[in-house]
Amino acid sequence: MLFVSLFAFSPATARKRVDRGIEKVTLVPKGYWLGGGSFSYSENTAQDYDFLVLNDIEGTNYTFKVSPFLGYFVANDLAVGARFSYSRSMINLGSISLDINEDLNFSVENFYSIQHMYTGSVFMRNYVALGKSRRFGIFNEVRFSMGGGQAKQLNGESNEDITGSYQDILKMELGLIPGIIGFLTDNVAVEASVNVLGFEYKKYSQTRDRIYEGSFESSGVNFKVDIFSINIGVSFYF
């Protein structure tokens, strides 16, 4: 009787009972190449602008990022590849005041900061078609990135009171990036993705006023959806 019971509930029998009849649809076959990139640019200008407890905001800033990538499908709906990213950001702040109450207020004037980063990445991306359509799908990308860059900050109005710092930056990151894709033609698609889970490590080596040296390290794991970091791009399949 014991033998009969084990046979009746064998793994093969269990698989038959949970078969939901889901048909596997291949979105991108093995042997295809994947290429494309994303681009973003934003710029803001403020003149005597007030926002909540921030007053007399005056300044400009911009953020620029470009990220081309290339991959190869080693199996149906499974691609591996590499990505290169360059980003640059600048803040030129003439003045800003924080006024919470009479005893807690301060202001910053004549602050300038600029930073640029180079990043190289390797990734593995898996696709799943939505239903039986080969037009729309979702993907999940695991990405390991490593890069570096430089930054500098200046604060002051004249040569006598200007103070500044220079930074070398090292960055490593392991991330999980889900996304959605829609094919405009058989070989061209648009995609949107967002960082959800990641481990990040950063190290800053700083020299201030060409005299004082220091360093700062940070690391951490986050699990969140940042709607302000959505990446929009175009990809080509050939």
Side-chain angles (χ1 to χ4, degrees):
M1 293 296 294
L2 178 61
F3 173 78
V4 174
S5 298
L6 292 175
F7 178 79
F9 293 97
S10 65
T13 306
R15 283 197 296 269
K16 291 182 180 179
R17 291 185 178 183
V18 298
D19 184 9
R20 297 177 178 87
I22 298 176
E23 181 180 350
K24 172 63 176 177
V25 177
T26 298
L27 199 64
V28 184
K30 175 184 177 180
Y32 268 67
W33 285 90
L34 163 67
S38 59
F39 171 85
S40 64
Y41 177 81
S42 64
E43 183 176 356
N44 301 284
T45 302
Q47 184 73 34
D48 295 327
Y49 181 71
D50 297 335
F51 179 74
L52 299 178
V53 295
L54 299 177
N55 302 319
D56 303 324
I57 304 174
E58 181 179 341
T60 61
N61 79 283
Y62 71 80
T63 301
F64 164 79
K65 183 177 181 180
V66 60
S67 180
F69 60 88
L70 181 67
Y72 179 76
F73 282 83
V74 296
N76 291 342
D77 292 333
L78 179 63
V80 295
R83 177 187 296 266
F84 174 79
S85 299
Y86 173 77
S87 63
R88 186 179 182 91
S89 61
M90 184 276 294
I91 299 176
N92 189 0
L93 190 62
S95 65
I96 185 172
S97 299
L98 176 64
D99 188 3
I100 298 178
N101 54 47
E102 294 182 357
D103 299 323
L104 185 58
N105 60 79
F106 65 90
S107 62
V108 176
E109 295 182 350
N110 303 307
F111 175 78
Y112 176 82
S113 174
I114 189 166
Q115 174 182 297
H116 69 103
M117 294 284 297
Y118 300 90
T119 306
S121 310
V122 291
F123 67 85
M124 181 176 66
R125 181 185 286 194
N126 179 250
Y127 291 75
V128 177
L130 291 178
K132 296 184 180 181
S133 172
R134 290 184 173 87
R135 184 70 61 181
F136 298 99
I138 57 176
F139 64 84
N140 185 47
E141 181 174 314
V142 179
R143 185 188 305 170
F144 174 74
S145 306
M146 185 172 182
Q150 293 81 36
K152 67 177 181 179
Q153 294 88 32
L154 297 174
N155 189 23
E157 188 173 3
S158 63
N159 291 333
E160 295 181 359
D161 62 359
I162 286 181
T163 180
S165 62
Y166 176 85
Q167 295 176 335
D168 285 317
I169 306 170
L170 174 65
K171 176 182 177 181
M172 290 186 292
E173 184 177 14
L174 179 63
L176 185 66
I177 303 99
I180 187 169
I181 185 170
F183 283 85
L184 303 177
T185 68
D186 290 340
N187 303 97
V188 181
V190 292
E191 59 183 53
S193 61
V194 61
N195 294 0
V196 171
L197 176 65
F199 170 79
E200 184 179 72
Y201 168 81
K202 282 185 177 181
K203 180 179 181 181
Y204 297 85
S205 300
Q206 182 184 81
T207 302
R208 183 165 60 89
D209 297 336
R210 299 185 179 181
I211 300 175
Y212 308 102
E213 295 184 354
S215 63
F216 173 75
E217 296 183 32
S218 66
S219 61
V221 178
N222 65 75
F223 182 75
K224 61 181 180 179
V225 178
D226 187 357
I227 61 174
F228 297 104
S229 67
I230 296 178
N231 303 303
I232 307 295
V234 178
S235 53
F236 302 89
Y237 298 80
F238 51 94

